């Protein structure tokens, strides 16, 4: 029958409209501006309103969400930052839009290359968030970040990320991707145990 779809659509809207008040009465203020409230409103079983009040509220990001890459460093007991990147250049090679630029460190005495980057740039406006760099890095040195709030008025100053801006500690990586981190650490420990048993 003509118009039946419109009536059904309005029915859905009304169900959500009244459902919002019913849930507000049942749950009270805890439904808004709390992590649990956002989690409940993001579920497929939600009753009533399901939108979030961005930027005051943010959707809960799944672990595998990826936005821009960042470089991981480990914090040594001495407080020194140990950058995992060896400037091997694999990430720059596999990057489809070629938005990574790396310069390797050179030993000032011997002139030989040192496996560490002296410069590392990513043009984040060209990055297509594919995650290839993180997939192919043999040293777990580059990972995909969850931070998507990067708007600015100055592309040249703010959107060409240099080494200092790209570096983040391993504990940060662990906080946004706990399962990936645990899996990689377990694999690293296993490899280390095998190497030490051989020697
Ligand atoms: S981030 Fe990884 S793949 Fe890229 S240069 Fe550094 S070690 Fe190589
Ligand atoms: S996420 Fe993809 S496009 Fe962005 S830097 Fe990595 S490889 Fe390049």
């Amino acid at each position: 029958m003509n118009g039946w779809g419109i009536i059904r659509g309005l029915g859905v809207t009304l169900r959500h409209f009244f459902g919002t008040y019913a849930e507000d009465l049942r749950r009270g203020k805890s439904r808004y501006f709390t992590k649990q409230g956002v989690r409940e409103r993001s579920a497929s079983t939600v009753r009533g309103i399901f939108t979030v009040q961005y930027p005051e509220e943010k959707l809960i990001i799944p672990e595998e969400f990826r936005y821009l890459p960042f470089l991981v460093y480990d914090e040594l007991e001495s407080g020194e930052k140990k950058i995992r990147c060896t400037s091997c250049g694999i990430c720059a090679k596999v990057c489809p839009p070629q938005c990574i630029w790396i310069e390797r460190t050179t030993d000032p005495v011997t002139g030989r290359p040192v496996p560490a980057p002296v410069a590392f740039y990513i043009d984040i406006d060209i990055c297509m968030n594919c995650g290839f760099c993180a997939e192919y890095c043999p040293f777990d040195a580059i990972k995909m970040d969850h931070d998507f709030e990067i708007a600015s008025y100055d592309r040249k100053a703010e959107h060409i990320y240099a080494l200092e801006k790209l570096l983040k500690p391993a504990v940060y990586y662990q906080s946004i991707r706990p399962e990936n981190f645990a899996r990689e650490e377990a694999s690293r420990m296993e490899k280390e145990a095998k190497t030490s048993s051989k020697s």
Side-chain angles (χ1 to χ4, degrees), residues 68-72 141-145 166 168-169 172-173 176:
L68 294 171
F70 66 97
L71 292 171
V72 183
I142 189 165
K143 296 292 174 190
M144 299 305 287
D145 210 342
L166 287 166
K168 294 193 176 178
Y172 171 76
Y173 171 50
I176 62 166

Side-chain angles (χ1 to χ4, degrees), residues 86-99:
T86 62
S87 65
C88 69
I90 290 175
C91 55
K93 273 212 172 75
V94 299
C95 174
Q98 294 287 285
C99 62

Side-chain angles (χ1 to χ4, degrees), residues 72-77 79-84 139-140 168-171 181 185 188:
V72 183
Y73 70 82
D74 294 299
E75 285 166 303
L76 303 184
E77 279 177 17
E80 194 191 329
K81 287 181 186 175
K82 188 173 180 297
I83 300 174
R84 292 186 183 181
F139 302 99
D140 289 327
K168 294 193 176 178
V171 286
F181 181 86
E185 286 305 300
R188 203 184 332 276

Side-chain angles (χ1 to χ4, degrees), residues 66-69 91-92 94-100 122-123 126-134 142 144:
R66 57 173 195 261
Y67 198 54
L68 294 171
C91 55
V94 299
C95 174
Q98 294 287 285
C99 62
I100 301 178
I122 298 182
D123 187 330
I126 294 178
C127 172
M128 54 194 243
N129 323 110
C130 65
F132 275 17
C133 48
I142 189 165
M144 299 305 287

